[in-house]
Amino acid sequence: MKKNLLKGLIVATAVGCAAGYAEAQETVAVVEETAVIAVIAEMPCKTHYYTTKRDNWFIQVGAGINSPFVEFYKPNGDEKHHMTATYSLGFGKWFSPYIGWRMAFMGGSMHWDSWKFSRAKYVVGNADIMWDMFNTFHGVNPERTFSIIPFAGIGGAFSWDFDAANENIVKDGNKIKKNQWTLPVSAGIQLRFRLSKYVDFFAEGRAQFAGDNFNNTAYGDPVDISLSAIGGFTFTIGGRDFKSYNPCDYTAYINDLNNQVNDLRGALAGTTAALAAAEAQLPCPEVVEAEAVVVEPAPLMSTVRFTINSAKISKMEKVNVYNIAQWMQANPDQNVAIVGYADKNTGSSNYNMGLSQRRAQAVADMLVKEYGIDAARLSVQAEGSSVQPYPENNWNRIVIFNVAK
C-alpha cells in the first residue's frame, strides 16, 4: 500500500513539474456554491400561503333590517327612524388567509318621516375589501370557529318609487325626479361562524354614506346615511383552505450538501499536503516529452430554483447562472443542456410542460444576453412535471444543467 501511494505521488509530482501551475477552476466553483448555500441557509423561515384560481370562491345570501338616516321632519316634532327588511346577495374570493374581496348587493324598501310618512325602494351594489383579523394576528387556522372581518367598499345605489314631495326635492327641469343615482362608500364588520369546511354563518353591520339626494330630497346635512344589519350563510367552493410553502423546507438538504463540500475540501487539503511532502523529498525529473493530459469538465453543481408558477429568475438565483457562465467561458469546447422542471402538485401536465420550457428558456436567454455565451452551445429541454428529480416536491421547481454530448 505504501509503495503504491509513493508511486502515485511521484507521478503526480512529475506531471505537476512538467505542466506548471494552473488555476483550479473546479475549486473556485465549489467555493462560490458553498457561499450561496450559506446565504440561503441563513434566510429567515416564513410560511407563505397561496390559492389557485379555482379555490376559495364564495357565495353569500342573507337578509336583515335597514334604517335610513336622511332628512326628517314632522310638524309636531316627533321624528323617528323606521326599520324595513333588506335582502343581500354576494360573491367573492379570498386571495390569502388575510385579504379577500366581494361584490355585495342589497335591496329593499326604506321609510322615513318627512312632510308625510315617506317611502321608496332602493338597491345598492358594493365592491368590498375584506380583512381577516384573527388570521392576521393569531396565525392561520382554516378550522377556526369564529373570526372578525372588517370590510370597506365603494359602489353604486339606485333609489326609486318615491311617494313624498316638497319644495326641497331635487328636480329635473320642472318635474320631480322619479329616481336617483348615487355613489356611496361604506364600511362595516362581519362576524363569521364556521359550520363546516364549506358553510359559514355570518352576521354583519354596515354603514353606508351616500350623497344628499339618496332619498330624492336635498337639504340639511350633505350626506345621507343608511344603516343595515344582515345575517346569512356563506358557501365556499372547494372549502376555505390554502396551500402553503416555506423557503426553508430544504434546509436539511442544503446542510447535507454543505457537509459534503466540506468533506471534499478536507480531503483535498490532505492530498495537497501529501503532494507537497513528496515534492520536498524528490527531485523533479526532466521530462522530454509529455503526453497530452485530458481534463474532464468540472461537474455542473449549480441549479436555478423558481417560485410557484413563475419563470422569473430571482436575484439570489442569478449567482448560479453566473457560475455556469464562468464555467462555460473557462471550457469553450463544452456545450450545456438546460433542463427545466415543474412541481407535479400544482398545475396540469400540459401547463407544467410549458412552465418548465419558459424556465429553461429564461436561463438560456440570460446566459446569451448578459454573459455573451454562444446560443449554439446551449440546448433547452422541458421535462414538465412528468419527471421529478428530487423527492421533495418543492425542490422540483428548478432548472438543472448537464454537460451536452
Side-chain angles (χ1 to χ4, degrees):
M1 179 66 71
K2 292 183 178 179
K3 290 182 178 180
N4 291 337
L5 177 60
L6 181 59
K7 183 178 180 180
L9 292 175
I10 293 173
V11 173
T13 302
V15 174
C17 293
Y21 174 77
E23 291 185 357
Q25 296 288 344
E26 183 175 354
T27 303
V28 174
V30 169
V31 171
E32 292 179 350
E33 190 75 15
T34 305
V36 174
I37 291 173
V39 170
I40 295 176
E42 293 177 359
M43 291 176 57
C45 295
K46 181 180 179 181
T47 300
H48 300 270
Y49 294 89
Y50 65 97
T51 182
T52 66
K53 293 181 179 179
R54 297 184 297 272
D55 293 338
N56 293 296
W57 284 92
F58 63 85
I59 299 173
Q60 291 183 330
V61 292
I65 57 174
N66 174 76
S67 180
F69 286 69
V70 294
E71 293 80 3
F72 288 89
Y73 177 78
K74 283 188 118 178
N76 58 7
D78 58 346
E79 306 97 346
K80 66 177 181 179
H81 301 291
H82 297 275
M83 291 184 293
T84 56
T86 188
Y87 307 93
S88 70
L89 176 66
F91 67 91
K93 179 181 176 65
W94 286 96
F95 296 116
S96 73
Y98 318 108
I99 298 295
W101 70 272
R102 72 173 176 182
M103 289 296 301
F105 301 91
M106 294 190 306
S109 62
M110 57 180 177
H111 296 181
W112 71 98
D113 289 336
S114 187
W115 291 101
K116 64 178 182 178
F117 185 71
S118 302
R119 69 184 64 201
K121 297 176 182 178
Y122 74 96
V123 64
V124 182
N126 289 292
D128 295 331
I129 296 295
M130 309 177 72
W131 172 43
D132 192 314
M133 293 178 59
F134 281 19
N135 278 345
T136 301
F137 295 120
H138 299 288
V140 176
N141 180 5
E143 298 185 359
R144 180 174 281 116
T145 303
F146 173 69
S147 299
I148 298 178
I149 303 174
F151 60 87
I154 187 171
F158 180 66
S159 48
W160 75 99
D161 198 16
F162 298 94
D163 70 350
N166 62 51
E167 60 186 15
N168 294 303
I169 291 178
V170 177
K171 297 181 180 180
D172 183 8
N174 295 322
K175 297 180 179 180
I176 297 173
K177 296 187 69 174
K178 296 181 179 180
N179 54 64
Q180 289 291 341
W181 283 98
T182 54
L183 298 175
V185 296
S186 62
I189 292 180
Q190 180 185 103
L191 306 180
R192 184 176 67 193
F193 302 86
R194 184 179 188 272
L195 302 181
S196 71
K197 180 178 180 181
Y198 305 98
V199 182
D200 300 323
F201 173 78
F202 73 90
E204 69 178 40
R206 180 192 293 265
Q208 178 178 282
F209 306 89
D212 193 23
N213 57 327
F214 176 65
N215 66 329
N216 211 21
T217 303
Y219 73 91
D221 295 333
V223 177
D224 285 347
I225 302 174
S226 179
L227 301 182
S228 61
I230 295 174
F233 296 93
T234 301
F235 304 92
T236 304
I237 301 173
R240 191 177 68 250
D241 197 7
F242 295 88
K243 295 180 174 61
S244 63
Y245 72 95
N246 192 313
C248 297
D249 287 342
Y250 49 85
T251 302
Y253 174 70
I254 292 176
N255 290 337
D256 182 63
L257 290 179
N258 209 4
N259 291 334
Q260 293 182 38
V261 171
N262 290 333
D263 291 342
L264 290 174
R265 296 172 77 178
L268 178 61
T271 303
T272 301
L275 179 60
E279 288 178 340
Q281 296 178 14
L282 299 175
C284 183
E286 181 179 355
V287 178
V288 178
E289 183 177 356
E291 296 182 0
V293 178
V294 178
V295 179
E296 294 293 334
L300 305 184
M301 297 178 62
S302 293
T303 61
V304 180
R305 294 177 61 86
F306 293 85
T307 57
I308 293 174
N309 194 28
S310 173
K312 182 179 179 181
I313 303 172
S314 67
K315 293 181 179 180
M316 182 178 298
E317 296 299 323
K318 286 181 179 180
V319 68
N320 294 326
V321 182
Y322 169 80
N323 287 344
I324 293 300
Q326 294 296 301
W327 183 87
M328 294 190 72
Q329 291 170 0
N331 297 271
D333 296 331
Q334 297 292 333
N335 298 329
V336 168
I338 304 172
V339 187
Y341 298 88
D343 177 6
K344 69 178 181 180
N345 280 0
T346 56
S348 64
S349 298
N350 290 338
Y351 181 82
N352 286 339
M353 182 62 71
L355 178 60
S356 63
Q357 176 74 27
R358 294 193 297 273
R359 287 170 173 170
Q361 190 62 52
V363 173
D365 291 343
M366 179 173 287
L367 287 170
V368 172
K369 295 178 182 179
E370 297 192 16
Y371 299 108
I373 302 299
D374 187 356
R377 298 177 60 194
L378 304 173
S379 62
V380 175
Q381 302 175 18
E383 294 292 344
S385 57
S386 60
V387 177
Q388 300 285 273
Y390 296 105
E392 292 290 337
N393 290 325
N394 288 344
W395 300 350
N396 291 306
R397 298 184 288 271
I398 199 168
V399 162
I400 295 176
F401 302 93
N402 295 322
V403 177
K405 297 180 180 179

